[in-house]
Amino acid sequence: MAKKKEYGNDSIKALKGAERVRMRPGVIFGSDGLDGCQHALFEIISNSADEARAGYGNKIIITRFLDGSIEVQDFGRGIPLEYNKNEGRENWELVFCEMYAGGKYDEDSYEYSLGLNGLGLCATQYTSEYMDAEVHSNGYKYTLHFEKGENIGGLHKEPYDKKDTGSRIRWKPDLEVFTDINIPEQYFKDIIKQQAAVNGGIKFIFKNQIGANKFETFESCYNDGIVDYVKSLAEDKAFTSIQYWECERKGKDREDLKEYKVKITCALCFSIHKQIKEYFHNSSFLEHGGSPDKAFKSAFVSQINAYLKANNKYAKNDGQINIQDVEDCVIFVVSSFSTQTSYENQTKKAITNKFIQEAMTDFFRKQLEVYFIENKMEAEKIANQVLINMRARVKAENTRKTIKTSLQSKVDLTNRIQKFVDCRSKDVNEREVFIVEGDSALGACKQARDASFQAVIPVRGKILNCLKSDYDKIFKSEIITDLIKVLGCGVEVKSKASKDLSAFDMNNLRWNKILICTDADVDGFQIRTLILTMIYRLMPKLIEAGKVYIAESPLYEVTCKDQTYFAYNEAEMDEIKAEIGDQKYTVQRSKGLGENDAEMMALTTMNPATRRLVKVTCDDAEQTSQVFDLLLGDNLDGRKEYIADYGHLYLDAADVS
């Protein structure tokens, strides 16, 4: 066994230069994976965005090359790169090779900026396989080249007689540093859309190389910033107008700290078609929100709640609204800027400023109050929709309780399902359950089955139409809850009011096959359809997994001499008649499963070697849904139109006299 090195004074090591980031990229970028690589890209884009927002340049070009390299070009003043008297060093060394160096430590260069601590450009350079910089400024073109964090060749300067200014940074993230550098195309599209939204009037262009000298180009620009952005999100489907609010405040995070400024802008509308909350601070998307999200929750719930109470909107049995009820009908975008920012960490996904939270809470609350006073009709619409959301949420919570207490209970000796007949096998791979029509069918199937692996459960009459019934009514149906308990896998409840109602788990399914077996008549077909509808709405994954079958039963039994034939439809009956010819025969029409003898049931319906099964598939789930909705849903006009157009095709099969 190798002897461990002794831990002592010589064990302490200080990382220097590029090593500081290359060995621990997660400290700066939050991850050494794709997220970290993407954050490095964002750091470079943010520098250009800060420059453009300060009034220098109105266009930023981001290019994704086939070799994995990336380029960001702006048309600002150009990064200062020459000698810095105050620091006694070349600026290019400070900007590209020195952590915590940059032009954003005072408010004179940039009043509001995303980059605050001079880490982004330097850290990105350190973690690159190579980086090339080209700067046009003061009539000169400056170029720099770096490889794996080290400068090669110093600064090159030459006269430049064109009028354009700005900076162009091209780099390739290093696979020795990041585990994944293949930033997807969609990330680039998302980032230019977000940056265009919070930097109104600035055009962001994404060029994606798809071949030699061949690029696809995508542009994003919102002239009115977040107002146009919210308008595009709402797609003319909002039930209120778009509101734009802005203010500027001064304050402190703590009494003994320095005062700073915050500028708050927000745009919002209310919609039942799309719900979005997005927070940006100094143009950085705050995935986790922080202070703005806390302000939104506090202000909107308290102010809308106050309106509901003041206008006697709550019913006697209502609870109070919560933030989910508001979020389910709002499109809300905040873009704030401050001269001092406390980020949760370097990745800038949340801010923690106490003053910003307090300023936003007060601002949102006052703006909502004025908005409701000045727009009474819209205030009523908002209040009514929030109440609808609250009542739907409460109903969904009650449904969840029903699921937990009723549907997921296991079938055992202490919790019998009425008239359910189980099989002996415990091997799920061979167990199958027959869902049959009525008690008489239960008797016939029970005698005809192979008790070692076949179970039977009857449904008593026609079950609920699960497309037309709400969840509360569905789960009060004893027949349906019994079926769900027998299947054992739970249900998938798709509720907008509550996203976590799904209790479905395929691993808990107790059967290899679920076989629906009903009479070969109109009533039998309707019961079969209702059972399929229940499974389709509550457990669609069973159909997708090929677990659901129709067990066909014969319509006719034909006896000729000592030979017996079974016909499952009229066409097969005609074929049998043709085969028998002029011989004498007798025909018995099946009146129902319960009237079939056990031997016939075993031979035609239950024996795996001789039965006929039709697998229920969802190859076209959307089409299936449309048919179910049309024939069994609430689309009355569509159903009438369908019957008028196609009803004559089914007159012969109609059970009418």
Side-chain angles (χ1 to χ4, degrees):
M1 183 175 176
K3 186 178 180 181
K4 290 184 178 180
K5 184 179 178 182
E6 185 177 345
Y7 180 70
N9 289 320
D10 295 336
S11 302
I12 306 300
K13 179 183 178 182
L15 296 178
K16 301 176 181 64
E19 280 186 312
R20 290 175 289 177
V21 184
R22 290 181 67 84
M23 291 186 68
R24 299 289 187 271
V27 175
I28 301 298
F29 298 120
S31 165
D32 65 353
L34 187 61
D35 284 348
C37 191
Q38 289 174 168
H39 186 72
L41 164 63
F42 180 70
E43 290 282 359
I44 306 303
I45 294 175
S46 67
N47 288 336
S48 294
D50 289 341
E51 182 75 355
R53 195 171 53 253
Y56 303 99
N58 60 4
K59 180 172 67 174
I60 296 169
I61 303 172
I62 300 107
T63 306
R64 176 183 185 242
F65 294 97
L66 285 175
D67 68 350
S69 63
I70 306 162
E71 182 178 273
V72 176
Q73 180 182 9
D74 65 49
F75 300 86
R77 292 165 290 185
I79 303 169
L81 298 176
E82 295 199 72
Y83 188 73
N84 186 322
K85 294 179 181 178
N86 293 330
E87 297 294 329
R89 291 177 65 185
E90 299 289 329
N91 271 322
W92 71 263
E93 293 179 337
L94 294 170
V95 172
F96 285 91
C97 305
E98 190 67 53
M99 306 285 279
Y100 301 98
K104 301 172 184 178
Y105 287 101
D106 60 69
E107 296 177 18
D108 297 328
S109 300
Y110 299 94
E111 183 178 20
Y112 300 114
S113 69
L114 172 59
L116 296 178
N117 49 23
L119 289 173
L121 181 55
C122 175
T124 302
Q125 189 276 113
Y126 279 162
T127 57
S128 299
E129 185 179 318
Y130 68 84
M131 176 179 279
D132 288 308
E134 182 178 321
V135 175
H136 301 162
S137 178
N138 302 318
Y140 290 96
K141 180 173 82 170
Y142 302 89
T143 56
L144 289 160
H145 178 69
F146 300 88
E147 294 179 8
K148 296 187 181 294
E150 299 294 332
N151 175 252
I152 308 296
L155 179 68
H156 293 269
K157 175 182 176 183
E158 59 184 85
Y160 187 73
D161 56 8
K162 295 181 181 179
K163 293 183 178 180
D164 67 283
T165 59
S167 304
R168 184 200 301 257
I169 309 294
R170 179 171 176 174
W171 75 102
K172 183 177 181 181
D174 197 342
L175 260 176
E176 292 180 4
V177 176
F178 298 107
T179 59
D180 187 356
I181 63 170
N182 186 27
I183 300 177
E185 178 183 339
Q186 191 58 47
Y187 179 83
F188 288 88
K189 292 179 179 178
D190 290 343
I191 207 75
I192 68 167
K193 186 176 182 180
Q194 292 172 352
Q195 287 304 301
V198 296
N199 293 287
I202 300 172
K203 182 184 289 186
F204 287 80
I205 302 169
F206 169 48
K207 296 171 67 177
N208 185 39
Q209 188 176 20
I210 56 174
N213 300 317
K214 189 176 180 181
F215 294 84
E216 287 181 333
T217 301
F218 303 88
E219 295 185 4
S220 193
C221 181
Y222 296 98
N223 288 325
D224 287 331
I226 58 174
V227 173
D228 282 349
Y229 180 54
V230 167
K231 193 180 296 181
S232 72
L233 293 173
E235 298 176 339
D236 296 323
K237 294 180 181 178
F239 63 82
T240 67
S241 59
I242 294 174
Q243 299 296 305
Y244 175 74
W245 305 333
E246 68 174 333
C247 76
E248 197 164 303
R249 302 276 180 93
K250 287 185 177 181
K252 304 175 181 179
D253 288 328
R254 206 172 63 206
E255 198 57 42
D256 59 327
L257 296 177
K258 183 182 177 182
E259 187 176 71
Y260 63 93
K261 289 192 295 185
V262 60
K263 181 180 180 182
I264 306 165
T265 63
C266 70
L268 70 150
C269 63
F270 288 80
S271 169
I272 59 173
H273 296 282
K274 185 172 285 188
Q275 299 79 43
I276 291 174
K277 287 189 312 168
E278 290 186 350
Y279 307 110
F280 299 86
H281 188 72
N282 290 349
S283 87
S284 176
F285 174 55
L286 302 178
E287 183 181 344
H288 305 308
S291 298
D293 190 51
K294 291 176 182 177
F296 166 80
K297 290 176 178 177
S298 175
F300 275 69
V301 171
S302 64
Q303 201 59 45
I304 295 175
N305 186 49
Y307 180 90
L308 292 170
K309 287 182 176 179
N311 291 273
N312 298 313
K313 290 285 185 181
Y314 281 118
K316 183 178 180 181
N317 296 324
D318 280 339
Q320 285 205 6
I321 65 166
N322 67 19
I323 189 58
Q324 181 184 321
D325 309 324
V326 180
E327 289 173 337
D328 280 347
C329 62
V330 73
I331 298 174
F332 184 70
V333 177
V334 173
S335 177
S336 55
F337 295 89
S338 65
T339 53
Q340 182 176 310
T341 306
S342 296
Y343 287 102
E344 196 170 69
N345 52 44
Q346 169 63 16
T347 57
K348 304 181 175 75
K349 293 185 177 180
I351 61 172
T352 59
N353 297 66
K354 183 172 180 286
F355 162 64
I356 292 177
Q357 180 180 331
E358 292 170 349
M360 285 186 174
T361 303
D362 180 67
F363 175 58
F364 296 156
R365 188 177 287 139
K366 288 178 178 176
Q367 289 298 125
L368 272 175
E369 184 179 12
V370 172
Y371 172 44
F372 288 167
I373 292 171
E374 294 180 349
N375 300 272
K376 183 66 176 176
M377 287 182 63
E378 293 198 358
E380 285 290 297
K381 289 179 183 178
I382 294 165
N384 291 337
Q385 186 59 51
V386 171
L387 278 176
I388 289 171
N389 294 345
M390 181 269 289
R391 289 163 184 159
R393 172 178 53 81
V394 171
K395 195 171 186 179
E397 288 170 354
N398 292 335
T399 302
R400 185 195 298 109
K401 291 175 184 176
T402 303
I403 291 174
K404 287 184 176 179
T405 57
S406 178
L407 302 185
Q408 296 183 59
S409 57
K410 294 183 178 179
V411 180
D412 54 32
L413 291 173
T414 62
N415 183 25
R416 291 276 188 183
I417 300 299
Q418 188 178 10
K419 298 182 180 178
F420 166 60
V421 181
D422 205 349
C423 60
R424 293 193 298 271
S425 174
K426 303 301 179 185
D427 183 358
V428 173
N429 294 316
E430 68 174 5
R431 287 165 56 90
E432 48 187 52
V433 61
F434 283 79
I435 303 173
V436 301
E437 177 186 349
D439 291 346
S440 59
L442 170 65
C445 291
K446 184 177 178 181
Q447 293 178 56
R449 73 186 178 125
D450 184 333
S452 65
F453 68 95
Q454 291 179 325
V456 187
I457 179 171
V459 292
R460 301 173 293 283
K462 295 175 183 176
I463 69 172
L464 275 177
N465 177 353
C466 287
L467 280 182
K468 293 186 71 173
S469 304
D470 60 30
Y471 287 122
D472 194 46
K473 188 175 181 181
I474 289 171
F475 296 129
K476 284 180 181 175
S477 166
E478 186 179 358
I479 298 173
I480 292 176
T481 54
D482 281 354
L483 283 172
I484 296 170
K485 287 178 184 178
V486 166
L487 296 179
C489 56
V491 295
E492 295 177 76
V493 178
K494 298 174 182 176
S495 170
K496 187 177 177 182
S498 186
K499 277 87 173 169
D500 61 343
L501 277 176
S502 178
F504 182 87
D505 187 348
M506 183 69 80
N507 294 323
N508 291 333
L509 180 65
R510 304 174 65 230
W511 314 97
N512 183 46
K513 287 185 175 67
I514 300 156
L515 304 108
I516 302 169
C517 188
T518 59
D519 291 345
D521 58 17
V522 173
D523 285 341
F525 291 148
Q526 187 172 5
I527 291 170
R528 175 198 297 176
T529 303
L530 290 170
I531 295 170
L532 279 174
T533 304
M534 180 207 80
I535 295 173
Y536 180 78
R537 185 177 184 194
L538 300 180
M539 295 164 278
K541 285 189 175 65
L542 293 182
I543 298 176
E544 293 171 14
K547 296 292 185 180
V548 183
Y549 295 81
I550 303 298
E552 290 191 318
S553 58
L555 187 60
Y556 299 104
E557 181 180 353
V558 181
T559 304
C560 179
K561 296 181 179 179
D562 59 350
Q563 187 74 30
T564 302
Y565 303 87
F566 298 103
Y568 289 79
N569 51 52
E570 296 292 346
E572 290 187 8
M573 182 63 193
D574 291 339
E575 291 175 6
I576 292 170
K577 287 180 180 178
E579 182 180 337
I580 293 172
D582 295 334
Q583 299 180 68
K584 288 185 178 181
Y585 62 88
T586 59
V587 178
Q588 181 177 335
R589 193 184 195 283
S590 176
K591 295 180 180 179
L593 297 176
E595 298 187 24
N596 295 336
D597 59 49
E599 185 179 352
M600 174 187 170
M601 283 295 297
L603 182 64
T604 63
T605 309
M606 309 199 75
N607 187 335
T610 57
R611 69 190 179 188
R612 290 193 190 180
L613 297 183
V614 178
K615 182 184 285 190
V616 180
T617 65
C618 267
D619 292 337
D620 191 348
E622 186 175 349
Q623 183 179 355
T624 304
S625 176
Q626 289 171 355
V627 173
F628 278 7
D629 281 335
L630 178 64
L631 299 180
L632 296 171
D634 294 323
N635 187 0
L636 184 60
D637 291 337
R639 187 153 56 249
K640 285 180 178 178
E641 185 178 339
Y642 183 86
I643 292 171
D645 290 341
Y646 303 104
H648 66 281
L649 300 175
Y650 305 97
L651 284 176
D652 290 341
D655 189 13
V656 293
S657 57

